[in-house]
Amino acid sequence: MSLLAASCLVGCKPTSSPAKHTSLPAVQVLKVQEASPEKVVFVGHYGTGRTIPLAPTQAGRLTTLSVVSGQYVHQGDVLAIFEDRLLLEVAAQAQGEVDAARAELNQAAATYKRSRGLDAIGGVSSGTVEERASSWRLAQGKYKSAQAALTQAQIQVAETRIRAPEDGRIISVTGVPGSLVGAGSEIVRMSAGLPEVRFKVPSSSFWTVGDAAEVSVPVGQKSQSVHAVIKEIGAVDDASQTQDVKLILDQPLPVAVSSLVTVSLVPHDVSHVVRVPLTALVSDDQTHGHLWGVTEGQEPHLVLRRVQVAGVRGADALVEGLTAGERIVTNGDASLHQDQAVQCISQVSER
């Protein structure tokens, strides 16, 4: 009986290992995996480098407008026409005066040419030769004056045509055919220069000047995409903690200025960037933080791991400083400390 009782006591006595195991703090762990690059999407405003107001240099009646808002035009295209009948008559009169002055100049030149040298042989007097030379010089002056008047008249006729000064897109048309328009009054406004897009990004972003982007806009049933490059990044706004970004596009988009477009930016390909839950990360500042790693083996211990934050993706942070496959704690708290033995109670799905 005593032997049986002793054997029972031996069989029911719990081992020391489970007691020690259950006294350890329980932590939830996961194995981290490298994060694949993923496009980040923003909404931007489409525009161009500058806008150009177009107006007549002289008052007149607007007869024709050949463009509409949103139309793309090329340098030299006629956008509007003003009444030019009276100016054409002035130009025609100026042309007649040029023709008359040219004929008078030719006659005066021929007369002076015949007279030269005749005074030496007594054919004509020296005074007559000088008088004919003066008539020739006077005819030259009248001809030049007539030419200048014709040029001015031709310029005024040309100014009745409002032409595109360079390639661009019409932003607005305010002129009305048939109305009287004062000199300098805007009738058409166009955008010109390199196409660009402006938008805002969080101040913790790591994009830089020269990074590539894709700008898209829905056209019909499909989306048209244009390649772009970051041209400028503004200073951080203290109130909103954002930065203004300007993109330069390879080619214009078929949309009006100030239209909303979609901007897709690809994060930098940084080696050994992994995804970790935001719950596991303790931020030190905007780009740095720390978390707890867990050693392998029968008796796992905590290891403090300092990381650099490369971005945020949903409920996860993208960090540098960890190795793919490494185990980390996802439910850390202030009571944990370096080299502390822990109990891994569960293994959640890999990130």
Side-chain angles (χ1 to χ4, degrees), residues 38-224:
E38 184 177 271
K39 290 184 178 180
V40 182
V41 178
F42 298 92
V43 175
H45 291 268
Y46 176 73
T48 56
R50 57 189 175 277
T51 60
I52 305 173
L54 301 176
T57 58
Q58 52 191 333
R61 186 177 298 279
L62 180 61
T63 59
T64 305
L65 270 171
S66 55
V67 291
V68 295
S69 182
Q71 180 178 342
Y72 190 82
V73 296
H74 297 279
Q75 183 178 13
D77 287 352
V78 177
L79 312 181
I81 300 176
F82 283 82
E83 173 62 52
D84 60 357
R85 181 174 53 84
L86 294 178
L87 293 175
L88 287 173
E89 292 178 359
V90 172
Q93 182 178 354
Q95 181 64 62
E97 292 177 355
V98 168
D99 294 340
R102 182 187 298 110
E104 185 178 345
L105 173 62
N106 291 337
Q107 183 178 2
T111 301
Y112 172 63
K113 184 177 181 180
R114 289 194 302 268
S115 302
R116 291 170 60 185
L118 292 179
D119 56 339
I121 60 175
V124 293
S125 64
S126 298
T128 299
V129 174
E130 183 60 32
E131 182 181 347
R132 291 176 179 178
S134 179
S135 297
W136 174 57
R137 288 191 290 269
L138 181 60
Q140 284 180 318
K142 290 177 63 176
Y143 177 64
K144 291 180 180 179
S145 178
Q147 279 186 316
L150 174 61
T151 300
Q152 182 62 33
Q154 291 172 336
I155 291 174
Q156 290 180 331
V157 171
E159 288 177 343
T160 61
R161 267 65 173 167
I162 304 297
R163 299 179 181 271
E166 55 185 298
D167 293 354
R169 191 174 297 277
I170 302 300
I171 300 176
S172 62
V173 178
T174 55
V176 178
S179 63
L180 290 173
V181 180
S185 297
E186 179 182 322
I187 59 170
V188 174
R189 181 176 289 265
M190 64 177 289
S191 62
L194 294 175
E196 62 183 40
V197 169
R198 294 181 180 271
F199 62 102
K200 294 181 180 294
V201 298
S203 61
S204 59
S205 67
F206 48 87
W207 290 287
T208 59
V209 172
D211 286 349
E214 292 293 326
V215 179
S216 59
V217 59
V219 179
Q221 300 299 319
K222 60 181 180 179
S223 176
Q224 178 174 340

Side-chain angles (χ1 to χ4, degrees), residues 29-39 267 270-281 291-292 307-330 347-351:
V29 299
L30 65 80
K31 286 185 178 181
V32 296
Q33 299 296 325
E34 289 191 4
S36 59
E38 184 177 271
K39 290 184 178 180
V270 184
S271 60
H272 307 302
V273 170
V274 299
R275 295 178 60 168
V276 301
L278 290 172
T279 56
L281 182 67
L291 47 76
W292 292 106
V307 295
Q308 182 172 347
V309 181
V312 176
R313 184 179 298 176
D316 294 339
L318 306 180
V319 302
E320 299 177 64
L322 297 177
T323 303
E326 184 174 351
R327 296 195 302 170
I328 65 168
V329 176
T330 64
Q347 177 80 29
V348 299
S349 59
E350 297 179 350
R351 292 291 181 97

Side-chain angles (χ1 to χ4, degrees), residues 259-284:
S259 295
L260 296 180
V261 294
T262 301
V263 179
S264 299
L265 292 172
V266 179
H268 291 166
D269 292 331
V270 184
S271 60
H272 307 302
V273 170
V274 299
R275 295 178 60 168
V276 301
L278 290 172
T279 56
L281 182 67
V282 178
S283 297
D284 298 330

